[in-house]
Amino acid sequence: MFMNFEEELEHIKNQKLYRKREAIENKRIFCSNDYLGMSKNKEVIDYVVEKLREVNTIGATASSLVNGYTKYHKELELLLSKLKSKEDCLVFPSGYSTNIGLFQALGNEEDVFYSDELNHASIIDGIRLSKASKYIYQHNNINHLFELLKSTRQKHRRAYIVSDSVFSMEGDLARLKELIDISKEFEAYIVVDEAHATGTIGKGIYDYFGLLPEENVIIMGTLSKAIGSQGGFVCAKRSIVEYIVNKARSYIFSTALGLPMVFASIKALELIEKNLNKYKEELQQRTKFILDMIKEFNFHTKEDFITPIIPIKIGEEDEALKLRNKLLENDVFIQAIRYPTVPRNKAILRLTASLSYSSEDLEILYEAFKSLKN
């Protein structure tokens, strides 16, 4: 039956799943991914301004394979390779385009992906584009993953086990050591999405567990979270990076990352490398402080403070929207996350910890949550 766009929009609204763009002004934002406050860091901003005056240009002006790739992009890639302990690196214009291109490039009809059910949408979409077979294993369920590999691995050429390292909505960690063991047993590559791990739990999940990534590991990450800029990257052995350069359509046909973002990322990475343990400890302290605050008001959330993602579990979409709007009345913005980002009737308020919050910010956050209980 034909349904026009207005009718479809009304249907979305009735399900409490309607989304719209809003410029949030004069509110304290407590849901961004700027975990280390790098987007506002004065050293980063000053460095970007200085470098832009030096090069006298802003845009990359073309794709990386035409003339958009510069010595500054190469410098950024070298820094990221070092951070992730891999041979080579490739920078994309965004995190979404990174995963779209990465998975589309890695797989074809002969290959297979085994993907955690809570992996980011960009992973899901990239795997779909690859035309490879796929199996979804229950979240962090190594036994389920094992059974899937045992019954299907022999049917395929290359196999990839894919997982977020820090899951973007739950804030929990992948079971890395078990993933390493199972990848060796079934001769599979590991692909980890480090978007929310880079700079928050150390250099990333391998660093957190005191391990070095082996040759079968492909690391994806973003520049738009703790690094405070924009863009995405893949770090891997050199032959894999060269293969992605030649196969990833979102890399081949996208204009290269703009120089302001490149410069901002270079400076932020310098600061992160220099202050890695300090930032990690301070962020965990900040996360624990906010978690304790939320629990004081009897909201259901996670128990640990390893990562700065703090899901406040609400349930019904309508209730999550009501709470978001009540917080806005108290000058606090925390977005209500609803289906399809999370399952139906499992809506959350996605609160995050950041080193950018002042004491005054935290006092306002406390009073805002206190008002929800009045």
Side-chain angles (χ1 to χ4, degrees), residues 1-257:
M1 179 181 174
F2 176 80
M3 181 183 287
N4 63 36
F5 292 113
E6 289 78 10
E7 289 174 317
E8 288 200 50
L9 282 171
E10 195 60 35
H11 179 65
I12 292 170
K13 289 178 181 177
N14 290 336
Q15 294 180 302
K16 307 301 180 184
L17 301 176
Y18 181 70
R19 291 162 167 81
K20 62 179 179 179
R21 296 166 294 170
E22 293 181 271
I24 304 299
E25 298 179 355
N26 303 316
K27 306 292 181 185
R28 311 281 176 135
I29 297 174
F30 291 95
C31 55
S32 90
N33 298 318
D34 187 18
Y35 302 120
L36 302 181
M38 286 295 165
S39 73
K40 303 176 183 69
N41 185 286
K42 188 176 185 303
E43 287 186 68
V44 173
I45 294 168
D46 288 346
Y47 181 80
V48 173
V49 171
E50 176 189 339
K51 294 299 292 185
L52 287 176
R53 290 201 169 116
E54 178 186 312
V55 300
N56 203 31
T57 188
I58 293 177
T61 74
S63 70
S64 294
L65 297 181
V66 180
N67 70 282
Y69 189 69
T70 68
K71 64 180 182 181
Y72 305 108
H73 292 82
K74 183 63 178 176
E75 180 183 353
L76 175 57
E77 290 172 348
L78 289 171
L79 288 171
L80 290 164
S81 297
K82 179 184 174 186
L83 184 77
K84 296 300 182 183
S85 301
K86 299 303 291 184
E87 270 188 344
D88 207 353
C89 179
L90 180 64
V91 167
F92 286 72
S94 75
Y96 187 86
S97 69
T98 304
N99 272 341
I100 290 291
L102 171 63
F103 292 102
Q104 167 263 310
L106 289 177
N108 64 31
E109 292 88 346
E110 299 179 82
D111 304 322
V112 60
F113 291 99
Y114 299 87
S115 182
D116 189 289
E117 67 176 330
L118 295 190
N119 280 342
H120 191 265
S122 57
I123 293 175
I124 296 168
D125 294 349
I127 290 174
R128 285 172 178 163
L129 286 172
S130 74
K131 299 180 182 178
S133 297
K134 66 177 178 182
Y135 297 93
I136 309 301
Y137 64 92
Q138 295 161 5
H139 177 52
N140 264 342
N141 189 328
I142 301 301
N143 291 332
H144 187 216
L145 174 60
F146 177 86
E147 292 303 322
L148 289 172
L149 282 157
K150 183 180 177 182
S151 61
T152 63
R153 170 64 184 99
Q154 71 277 8
K155 302 175 185 177
H156 304 281
R157 180 185 60 165
R158 284 195 291 258
Y160 302 92
I161 298 169
V162 186
S163 180
D164 284 2
S165 51
V166 170
F167 289 87
S168 60
M169 294 298 122
E170 293 295 319
D172 56 337
L173 294 175
R175 295 171 62 180
L176 180 66
K177 292 179 181 179
E178 291 98 324
L179 292 180
I180 292 171
D181 291 341
I182 207 168
S183 73
K184 291 177 179 178
E185 182 172 352
F186 289 96
E187 296 184 346
Y189 287 90
I190 295 177
V191 187
V192 289
D193 184 328
E194 294 265 76
H196 298 274
T198 303
T200 62
I201 58 172
K203 295 180 179 181
I205 194 166
Y206 277 84
D207 179 50
Y208 177 81
F209 284 108
L211 302 170
L212 287 174
E214 298 181 51
E215 278 203 352
N216 72 324
V217 176
I218 300 167
I219 295 174
M220 176 273 172
T222 60
L223 305 171
S224 57
K225 309 298 189 293
I227 296 171
S229 177
Q230 181 179 326
F233 61 87
V234 177
C235 293
K237 65 185 291 187
R238 184 157 290 113
S239 60
I240 293 175
V241 170
E242 290 176 0
Y243 182 79
I244 296 166
V245 168
N246 283 275
K247 297 289 286 186
R249 292 175 65 83
S250 65
Y251 182 79
I252 296 167
F253 298 109
S254 289
T255 297
L257 185 63

Side-chain angles (χ1 to χ4, degrees), residues 323-343:
L323 290 173
R324 181 200 67 181
N325 293 337
K326 286 181 181 178
L327 288 169
L328 272 173
E329 292 172 6
N330 288 273
D331 297 328
V332 163
F333 178 64
I334 303 173
Q335 185 60 281
I337 307 297
R338 296 158 288 153
Y339 179 83
T341 309
V342 293

Side-chain angles (χ1 to χ4, degrees), residues 295-337:
K295 290 175 183 177
E296 179 180 336
F297 296 112
N298 297 317
F299 283 103
H300 180 39
T301 183
K302 67 176 188 176
E303 292 301 318
D304 70 78
F305 52 90
I306 295 169
T307 74
I309 298 166
I310 305 169
I312 303 173
K313 300 179 181 182
I314 307 301
E316 293 184 4
E317 286 79 9
D318 193 30
E319 181 64 20
L321 289 172
K322 287 178 182 177
L323 290 173
R324 181 200 67 181
N325 293 337
K326 286 181 181 178
L327 288 169
L328 272 173
E329 292 172 6
N330 288 273
D331 297 328
V332 163
F333 178 64
I334 303 173
Q335 185 60 281
I337 307 297

Side-chain angles (χ1 to χ4, degrees), residues 264-296:
S265 300
I266 288 171
K267 187 61 180 179
L269 283 167
E270 177 190 314
L271 294 173
I272 290 169
E273 282 273 19
K274 183 180 177 181
N275 301 286
L276 191 66
N277 290 331
K278 175 176 176 286
Y279 289 160
K280 176 183 171 182
E281 290 173 9
E282 289 179 353
L283 190 57
Q284 287 188 346
Q285 290 170 6
R286 178 63 50 83
T287 304
K288 184 179 185 304
F289 180 88
I290 296 173
L291 265 174
D292 289 345
M293 177 197 304
I294 298 306
K295 290 175 183 177
E296 179 180 336

